[in-house]
Amino acid sequence: MNLTDRPRRLRADGIRSLVSETDLSASDLIAPVFVDATTEERIPIESMPGQERVPVSEAVARVEEVRETGVEAVMLFGIPESKDERGTRAWAEDGVVQEATRRVTEATDAYVITDVCLCEYTSHGHCGVVEEHAETDPTLTVKNDETLDLLTRTAVSHAEAGADMVAPSSMTDGMVGAIREGLDDSGREDVPIMSYAAKYESAFYGPFRDAADGAPAFGDRRHYQMDPANAREAMREVASDVEQGADVLMVKPALAYLDVVRAVREGFDHPVAAYNVSGEYAMLHAAADNGWLDLEEAAAESLLSMKRAGADLILTYFAEDVAASL
């Protein structure tokens, strides 16, 4: 054989790492933190091994644990002490995320991002104000424009509590523009928006709904979250959010949607985030528990694939474990 091209030459020890095309670092990762106003102690999340809900009094300690691994950013999710049809605790000055944000920003150097949605706060578990008779009529859904005001109030309340960035996740048409206007009008024009720009109605969210107590009491979210079959629609969604002022563009979920991550990366100059969701996390743990794969290696490879596809930032429950191993 007379081969002029032998790719294996660059796979030898010493050169292999020098020609590696993609790097993963702790600064790429964002760790979700669940803060629960209904408890005074940490509560393990059974469907998400290694994850837990923490009381407001433990929020600072939990974030400090994240920072010790080298992860610089957290995203706060809240479980309120009470719920109602409109999710009014979402924008309360003394709400769970607002109080946790104040404590964490005052006591740590973590970059604090807050999830802006209503599903954890509404008694029906939907991401906004539902239409009349929606409980019994599967053709009805969330009132889009009425929900925008509530999302804006929530985002502004998070910013006023000290959030470094807000992340609207409800897939409500116009949410980025409404929140951008609200932040600007309140003197928070420097607070960026990470939009859940392409968020699909996915089967991979199950464990999260246990963690955040946000499962719909009736129906589903197909009328406002995207159809998993659609990729071109994702580009329209992302373009709309860019026009409205989104600073960071998120694709959720990540592993089953790497084609969308790549398309967003190639189509837009904005930073791209990928959400390595709860079901993706739980399934690797389940396989590892059965001895079918090495958890640490599989987790790192999964996150590397998201980075290779074009994600600049990765929101993941593996953040601490992977960061500690880098």
Side-chain angles (χ1 to χ4, degrees):
M1 297 180 69
N2 184 23
L3 297 178
T4 57
D5 186 12
R6 293 180 179 267
R8 287 183 59 182
R9 294 178 185 133
L10 299 183
R11 295 175 192 151
D13 292 342
I15 188 64
R16 183 182 176 96
S17 61
L18 291 177
V19 297
S20 179
E21 300 174 17
T22 307
D23 293 319
L24 187 66
S25 70
S27 62
D28 299 326
L29 308 177
I30 303 168
V33 173
F34 296 98
V35 185
D36 188 344
T38 70
T39 183
E40 296 297 327
E41 59 186 15
R42 298 192 181 200
I43 302 175
I45 301 168
E46 292 185 6
S47 58
M48 298 170 63
Q51 300 298 307
E52 58 189 357
R53 295 182 181 184
V54 301
V56 174
S57 61
E58 288 282 319
V60 170
R62 179 72 190 93
V63 172
E64 288 176 338
E65 293 167 3
V66 172
R67 289 292 293 116
E68 288 173 0
T69 67
V71 175
E72 300 172 5
V74 297
M75 183 176 284
L76 300 183
F77 296 88
I79 297 91
E81 64 273 30
S82 62
K83 304 186 179 194
D84 57 47
E85 288 193 356
R86 294 176 65 82
T88 58
R89 293 300 299 170
W91 60 85
E93 183 178 354
D94 61 346
V96 58
V97 167
Q98 290 82 351
E99 184 58 31
T101 297
R102 279 189 286 269
R103 295 188 184 203
V104 171
T105 55
E106 290 173 2
T108 79
D109 63 350
Y111 190 83
V112 176
I113 308 167
T114 58
D115 178 71
V116 177
C117 197
L118 301 177
C119 58
E120 298 102 321
Y121 301 89
T122 55
S123 53
H124 46 72
H126 280 282
C127 301
V129 180
V130 294
E131 297 180 31
E132 190 176 359
H133 306 306
E135 184 172 355
T136 56
D137 186 344
T139 67
L140 299 178
T141 185
V142 167
K143 295 180 179 180
N144 192 92
D145 294 6
E146 189 173 337
T147 297
L148 291 176
D149 177 61
L150 308 187
L151 294 171
T152 299
R153 295 171 69 178
T154 301
V156 170
S157 73
H158 290 180
E160 290 176 342
D164 296 299
M165 175 185 283
V166 295
S169 61
S170 67
M171 287 300 287
T172 310
D173 291 347
M175 64 182 185
V176 172
I179 289 172
R180 182 72 273 159
E181 182 178 356
L183 290 171
D184 292 353
D185 289 347
S186 65
R188 305 288 173 174
E189 59 275 356
D190 292 333
V191 175
I193 297 173
M194 176 192 290
S195 173
Y196 287 63
K199 180 179 179 180
Y200 288 84
E201 188 207 10
S202 173
F204 289 101
Y205 299 155
F208 174 89
R209 291 173 182 173
D210 291 337
D213 193 21
F218 53 85
D220 54 36
R221 293 171 177 158
R222 72 186 187 279
H223 291 148
Y224 46 100
Q225 294 180 357
M226 287 181 56
D227 183 344
N230 294 355
R232 296 191 301 272
E233 181 188 3
M235 300 303 286
R236 297 198 301 272
E237 282 278 8
V238 172
S240 175
D241 284 2
V242 168
E243 291 174 3
Q244 293 173 47
D247 300 285
V248 181
L249 308 170
M250 183 190 290
V251 176
K252 179 185 180 182
L255 273 180
Y257 297 86
L258 294 180
D259 60 321
V260 179
V261 174
R262 167 55 63 182
V264 174
R265 170 71 291 141
E266 292 179 346
F268 300 89
D269 291 332
H270 291 58
V272 176
Y275 196 149
N276 179 213
V277 299
S278 59
E280 297 166 349
Y281 174 86
M283 69 184 185
L284 291 189
H285 269 277
D289 287 346
N290 280 283
W292 297 338
L293 50 72
D294 182 285
L295 181 62
E296 182 176 321
E297 292 182 0
E301 184 177 339
S302 295
L303 301 190
L304 192 65
S305 74
M306 297 168 203
K307 189 81 182 293
R308 188 185 65 242
D312 301 290
L313 308 170
I314 303 171
L315 181 61
T316 177
Y317 305 98
F318 286 118
E320 293 169 89
D321 290 340
V322 169
S325 69
L326 293 175

